[in-house]
Every structure is written in structure tokens, then in C-alpha cells.
Amino acid sequence: MLGIMACLIILFGLTPEIPAQMQVEDLKRGLIAVRQGDGYYLSWRLLGHEPYDTGFHVYRDDRRISDEPITKATIFLDRQAPLNSTYTVRALQEDQEMAASEPARIINRTQGAHAGYFDIPLQRPEPGSHGGIYTPNDASVGDLTGDGHYEIILKWEPSNARDNAQRGITDRVLLDAYTLDGDHLWRIDLGPNIRAGAHYTQFMVYDFDGNGRAELMVKTAPGTRDGTGSFLSQGPAAHADHQQQYRNRHGYILDGPEYLTVFDGRTGAELATVDYVPARGQVSAWGDDYGNRVDRFLAAVAYVDGQQPSAIFCRGYYTRMVLVAWDWRQGQLTHRWTFDTDQQPYNNQKWRGQGNHQLAVVDANHDGRHDIVYGSAVIASDGRGLHTTGYGHGDALHATHMVKGDPIPKIFMPHEVGNYGVTLRHADTGEFLFDARKDGDIGRGVAAELDPEVPGFKFWAASRLGLFDLQGQVVGRVPNSINHVIWWDGELSRELLDRNQITKWSVKQQRGTRLLDAEGALSINGTKANPNLQVDLFGDWREEVIFRTKDNRHLRVVTTTMPTSHRLVTLMHDPVYRVAIAWQNTAYNQPPHPGYYIASDMDFPPPALNIRVTPAASSRRSVAVE
């Protein structure tokens, strides 16, 4: 049979279809050692390209302290150890130890009984010329230097930032880059022609071109200075008047050029600038004449070709909606496709007004390429409309694999208009699994498995809607948080993350147990009560949470030391989760979700990830030691 197939390939030019592999970062082991009692709790990554059953040995001060290879959870408790011991781990391949990992990050500060933390010092800006006081706001991560470790990119928000519906002059938006040790790499000043507020600046940090180092893409304007202190000078910015301020007397910026710029992650230097698409055009064509709807921006990263990441920059969701895919390849920023609800011959009109205050990225139809969940609408990887429910605008949504064994993700969404309440639908067709009707604005909702004693995804929302199961049946009391969910306590269900607290919710007992009170740390974005970022930053597959400190001069990184018996690949090698970290800062921040089913009844080993590390990093593979 193989011979016949070979002949057919030769005769007819047939080639076997091989699923494309998605580019991911070549991460280091991410080993941490957190002081616990008289010893240290260790945690490290299982990487996505490694065999699931890879064993590890742990070394303290160059002496092996693990008796047998560790083939279960990637954690280890060294019960007796001097302060600031040096730890490494070594993977085993065919019973042979590979090169030692980088030394562990030592964390000696604890937060309660089951968490450790460290603070990253920040260079807080002076108050702005219009009186705005700066606080650390949304954050993202990327390997800016190509060393296999993440750096943090932080947006500084002035206190006079505005919602689009509000008049008022704002101070400038600033973007900083820091190492986890607090080294300040660069600052980008977006200038006077970018207004401050949750809906104006969505910044995407990712290795877009696969060179092993992350870039930053963001909307810019005349007056923007890059990380070297220079004004933008490429493309349409070459002839910009950087002294001109286009702000009107109400504080809106409804005139003047708009750009999209790629910045070098190492230096913050401008790499390329193009005109922002779509142009604002006539302001009133977006639904009002004062500048609210025209300046509603969203952004994401998505593998729309199934192999390399593209940037998705968007405008509008109340009326006209435009999504544009951009590729950064070999030093060129090129346009891939545009989806425009108002584009002739208006075959996209039914998608008009179906957007959200945030978005998500999933493989909606199981074809190996990413699609954009824009609210009540899903836009396919090729820039066509995939489906729309027609239920209109909402504030929040959650999209992930919620049904065991089903290759199609589900979308849970509360609705702001009409009497639509909340809906759960299939990501490919939009067909409802259930809809729970209720009049009015249902501002928030969450989807997650909460309790392994009551397995399966549960759904709840504001206005006392929920707690629903997959069939839309009420199965318990609504939890005391309708915000983020996080993997923290070692189980495969998730915990509630709200403000600076993490709570384990029991569906059975209908009450919560507090796991973390991050004293001295605060959330951001007012009543949204978001962390600066939640992310699988290092260690095993569970997530870290990043808050600002009360003095607004540090970021506090908090990690769990609760034991787990589960082994999962680092979430950052799952492309759906990884792009969710990139889009998390978009407008109304929502928690990240993975690209496969994770819950207490999941099968092990999990599905293998179809990924490849970036070429520049692949030459840095570990080698066996003698």
C-alpha cells in the first residue's frame, strides 16, 4: 500500500497533508524556588516540544537531591535548605541527563501560607502637564531579548484618562519595558495625539516574524516618540508635523493622521509605520458626532495562516466594525485582509453592530487556523464572516473548549441590549446550547469549571444570572465574583480572581474559601478590578498574577506554592493561551483560556501540541552531558 501511495504521489503530484505547526517561543525552563518553612518549593516548565513523560532530576548547589526521576508534576519540595541555595534541574532523554537548566529564581518573600512574591521596581513618570497622576495599568509579556525569559511591557495610565463617552483632556500614554529584575529597557511616549483611556490603546507584544525576539505593535500618531527618544520617521510619519496637536476643545482627537507602528522589543526603536486602517473618515458615520464610537479600538494576535502570528487591529463595534490582519515578516509590515461590515457590496451588513468591549481568539471550526470572536460575531481566519447571532453588543465573553471530547470551542457571552440575557453557543455555527433571557444590560459573565466535586463547566453572570450547567439548568448559587478565573490551587478546576484576592468556590457547599489576600497590592481599572496581568509566567502550568503595589512604584508578581499532582505543558506553549496573554490588555480585560479542554475530568496525557520553536532559538537546544 505504501508503494502504491508513493507511485500516486509521483504520477499525480499528490502530497500527503501535514498539519501546519504553529511558531512558539523557545522558552527556558522557568525554574523558581520559593522559600517554604526551612526549605524551598521548586517548580518548572514542561515544554511543549518535549515528550510528555520526560523525567527530571533536581540539583542543589550542584548536588543531586532527587532520588528518582520526577515524571509526574514538575514540582519538588526541598524541606531543609540554606537561604539562597542554588538550584537547577536536568531533563532526562533515554536515561541520559541533559545540560543543567538556568539557576532558579529565588523567591524568599511569602504572601500567606501558600504563595511567594517579588516586586519589580518601576520608573514612575512625573505628573503630566494636565495634572494626570500616573499609575501602572495593563501589562503584557514577551521575550524581548531572545534569551528564553519573559520581560514585562507596562502601560502607564494618567488619572485623567477618559472613557470615550466622556469629555476632557488627558495626559499622554506611556509604554515601558522591564526585565523581571527591574531593569528599565525603554519608554515609548505615544504623544499628545493619542488619548488616554481603556478603549484607545491596545498594545500587542509578540514575536511576529519568528526571529526569537518579540516586537510591539500599537496605534500611534504624530508626536509619538519611540524607545530611543526619536519621533516616528518611517512611512507616512516621514513628513509628519510632530509639533501639531489635533485635540479639540473637548479633549477628543478627531483629526490628523493615525498610524500603526512596529517597535523593536530590545530597544523600543521604530521598525515600520503605516497608516492605520480603517481611517476614521466621517466621525458621524460611526454612530455619533462627538467621537465616542469612532474611537473604539480592539486588537489581538492570531495564527490566521495556522503557522505564524498576525496582528489584528480593529475599529468599531456599536455600528460599523472593521478588522484588519497585518503580517510582520522579514522587516516588512504588510496587509493580509480586511473585514468591513460597510464595505461594498455590503455583504457583511448582518455583522454590523455585533461587536464587544473585548474579544477572544480560538480555532472556531477546527481547521488548524485561528478565528476572531468579536462578540456576537465570529470572523474567520481568512477575513470572512463565520457567523453572527444578531444579538448585538456585550461587555465580556469567554471562548474555549468547554465540552469534553468536542473539538469545537464554545462561546459564553452576556448581552447588553434587548432581553437576550446570556448565551452559550458553538463557535463554528453560532448555534445555541442555551440562552437564558433577561431584560437589560448584563455587564459581566464567566465560564469555568469551579469544583472537581461537581465536574464540568459552569456559567454565571451579573443580575443574579446562573449558576448554569451546559444545558442551561441552574445548579447552584452564583459565586461571589464575576471577574477573572485562574489556575492556582493545583486542581484542574479554576479559582476566582477578583481585586487582590483568590478564592476557591465550592459549588456543592455554595461558599468560597480564601486562598490569597495580596496585602500591599491593588487591582486596576476601577470597578473592573483586574490584575495588571495574569499569566503562566514561569514554573509549572499554573498561572502567576501581577498587581501594582499601593505606592504605584512596583509591580508585585505572586506565585502559588500549593502542591499539585497534575502534569501539563506550560500554558505559554499552547498558541491559543499564548495569544490570549497578548490580547488580555484589550479594552475590558478578561482572563485567558487554553486551546484544549482542561477540567477535572480531562484525559491524560493531554493532546500533543502541534508547535515548533522559533528558528533563531532552535539552535540553543540542550545537549547531553558526560
Side-chain angles (χ1 to χ4, degrees):
M1 179 62 73
L2 290 176
I4 293 172
M5 283 299 299
C7 290
L8 288 172
I9 289 170
I10 293 170
L11 288 173
F12 298 104
L14 301 177
T15 56
E17 186 173 342
I18 300 173
Q21 292 182 312
M22 293 187 181
Q23 160 202 316
V24 297
E25 296 146 314
D26 189 19
L27 297 174
K28 295 292 180 65
R29 194 60 67 187
L31 177 64
I32 58 170
V34 185
R35 192 67 177 173
Q36 193 167 64
D38 294 326
Y40 281 95
Y41 171 93
L42 279 72
S43 176
W44 62 93
R45 295 180 179 121
L46 176 67
L47 300 170
H49 53 276
E50 293 180 310
Y52 179 74
D53 60 355
T54 296
F56 296 92
H57 274 304
V58 177
Y59 283 75
R60 185 206 320 134
D61 299 329
D62 295 324
R63 183 177 65 86
R64 199 177 86 182
I65 57 174
S66 52
D67 295 328
E68 299 291 336
I70 297 167
T71 56
K72 296 188 177 181
T74 53
I75 62 172
F76 183 86
L77 179 59
D78 187 12
R79 298 183 183 277
Q80 294 283 337
L83 273 173
N84 299 317
S85 297
T86 299
Y87 290 96
T88 59
V89 295
R90 295 174 183 259
L92 288 97
Q93 291 185 10
E94 298 179 351
D95 296 325
Q96 189 173 16
E97 286 191 8
M98 308 304 286
S101 71
E102 74 286 359
R105 172 177 291 276
I106 302 298
I107 301 173
N108 286 326
R109 303 170 77 180
T110 58
Q111 189 90 70
H114 299 293
Y117 77 93
F118 62 92
D119 288 346
I120 301 172
L122 304 174
Q123 294 193 14
R124 190 183 188 189
E126 295 297 320
S129 58
H130 299 282
I133 306 299
Y134 283 96
T135 58
N137 193 249
D138 294 333
S140 191
V141 297
D143 183 359
L144 302 180
T145 61
D147 64 356
H149 301 284
Y150 284 120
E151 284 76 42
I152 292 181
I153 300 84
L154 174 70
K155 181 175 77 168
W156 287 100
E157 188 96 302
S159 56
N160 51 16
R162 293 286 186 270
D163 182 87
N164 298 50
Q166 300 171 342
R167 297 181 177 186
I169 294 173
T170 75
D171 279 300
R172 301 176 181 218
V173 178
L174 307 173
L175 297 170
D176 276 5
Y178 297 90
T179 68
L180 295 184
D181 296 320
D183 296 327
H184 184 225
L185 302 180
W186 44 257
R187 172 169 291 169
I188 293 170
D189 181 345
L190 293 181
N193 295 312
I194 296 291
R195 201 168 188 239
H199 304 286
Y200 293 99
T201 294
Q202 330 301 341
F203 57 100
M204 295 296 105
V205 181
Y206 219 83
D207 179 8
F208 288 102
D209 59 2
N211 70 351
R213 299 185 301 274
E215 296 81 34
L216 178 144
M217 286 198 209
V218 68
K219 184 175 181 286
T220 57
T224 295
R225 292 181 184 268
D226 72 8
T228 72
S230 301
F231 286 118
L232 302 183
S233 61
Q234 299 195 33
H239 305 291
D241 181 354
H242 291 293
Q243 306 308 315
Q244 177 70 38
Q245 295 192 18
Y246 295 94
R247 182 175 54 227
N248 67 25
R249 62 190 180 90
H250 299 302
Y252 290 99
I253 301 161
L254 304 178
D255 195 10
E258 300 175 288
Y259 309 136
L260 178 66
T261 300
V262 184
F263 295 94
D264 188 309
R266 293 171 298 181
T267 65
E270 177 193 15
L271 295 176
T273 295
V274 297
D275 288 315
Y276 194 87
V277 179
R280 63 172 71 88
Q282 185 177 354
V283 170
S284 60
W286 295 86
D288 61 64
D289 60 3
Y290 68 96
N292 179 3
R293 288 167 172 79
V294 69
D295 276 357
R296 297 282 180 160
F297 299 101
L298 300 177
V301 176
Y303 292 75
V304 297
D305 68 354
Q307 300 180 65
Q308 287 186 275
S310 298
I312 314 295
F313 279 84
C314 318
R315 186 176 217 141
Y317 41 75
Y318 288 114
T319 54
R320 182 185 179 191
M321 295 170 14
V322 185
L323 292 77
V324 183
W326 297 92
D327 291 341
W328 174 247
R329 311 279 191 266
Q330 299 179 336
Q332 299 294 317
L333 183 59
T334 58
H335 170 264
R336 176 179 282 268
W337 53 250
T338 294
F339 174 90
D340 189 339
T341 57
D342 289 14
Q343 192 172 37
Q344 294 283 0
Y346 298 111
N347 58 337
N348 293 329
Q349 275 280 296
K350 68 178 180 178
W351 279 270
R352 184 178 169 91
Q354 302 300 310
N356 249 38
H357 278 311
Q358 47 92 215
L359 46 66
V361 173
V362 294
D363 180 357
N365 52 5
H366 194 52
D367 66 355
R369 297 185 291 272
H370 285 174
D371 311 292
I372 317 303
V373 184
Y374 206 67
S376 291
V378 174
I379 311 305
S381 58
D382 60 2
R384 295 178 300 107
L386 189 61
H387 79 252
T388 178
T389 65
Y391 277 21
H393 165 72
D395 283 359
L397 65 86
H398 296 259
T400 189
H401 292 262
M402 303 179 187
V403 180
K404 182 179 178 180
D406 190 337
I408 301 301
K410 312 303 174 214
I411 302 167
F412 178 68
M413 180 176 165
H415 295 272
E416 184 173 312
V417 296
N419 68 336
Y420 297 124
V422 297
T423 59
L424 179 67
R425 71 189 198 264
H426 296 284
D428 55 349
T429 65
E431 178 186 358
F432 292 134
L433 283 81
F434 74 81
D435 60 341
R437 298 299 184 98
K438 188 176 180 66
D439 290 332
D441 179 358
I442 312 301
R444 302 185 201 181
V446 187
E449 186 192 65
L450 291 171
D451 185 348
E453 293 189 16
V454 187
F457 268 69
K458 304 296 182 288
F459 310 89
W460 67 102
S463 301
R464 306 185 67 82
L465 272 170
L467 186 72
F468 300 108
D469 64 11
L470 283 162
Q471 289 73 44
Q473 301 299 312
V474 175
V475 294
R477 186 162 68 89
V478 175
N480 58 6
S481 166
I482 311 176
N483 199 358
H484 287 233
V485 285
I486 188 170
W487 279 294
W488 190 263
D489 73 349
E491 294 178 337
L492 295 168
S493 53
R494 296 182 95 170
E495 286 67 61
L496 306 172
L497 168 59
D498 187 31
R499 296 173 295 171
N500 63 345
Q501 299 172 339
I502 294 176
T503 302
K504 181 68 176 180
W505 185 261
S506 169
V507 174
K508 205 169 187 179
Q509 299 178 11
Q510 302 190 62
R511 64 180 178 85
T513 301
R514 186 65 44 77
L515 302 182
L516 175 72
D517 273 301
E519 296 181 6
L522 299 173
S523 58
I524 60 170
N525 296 329
T527 60
K528 303 296 184 293
N530 306 126
N532 296 83
L533 187 68
Q534 74 171 90
V535 55
D536 180 12
L537 186 61
F538 41 54
D540 66 15
W541 56 275
R542 288 171 294 171
E543 297 169 289
E544 281 65 48
V545 61
I546 303 176
F547 299 109
R548 62 186 173 112
T549 56
K550 284 185 176 180
D551 63 4
N552 291 310
R553 297 186 180 278
H554 299 79
L555 290 178
R556 177 157 297 173
V557 181
V558 189
T559 188
T560 182
T561 58
M562 301 184 77
T564 182
S565 60
H566 300 293
R567 169 179 279 218
L568 289 175
V569 165
T570 174
L571 296 178
M572 296 298 267
H573 269 175
D574 168 20
V576 169
Y577 181 92
R578 181 63 187 89
V579 300
I581 299 305
W583 59 248
Q584 190 180 148
N585 68 73
T586 295
Y588 288 175
N589 305 9
Q590 296 294 314
H593 293 285
Y596 61 99
Y597 183 75
I598 300 180
S600 60
D601 60 346
M602 69 182 288
D603 294 326
F604 282 88
L609 298 172
N610 191 32
I611 59 172
R612 59 181 176 83
V613 298
T614 51
S618 62
S619 62
R620 301 198 299 265
R621 283 290 118 236
S622 298
V623 295
V625 295
E626 299 297 326

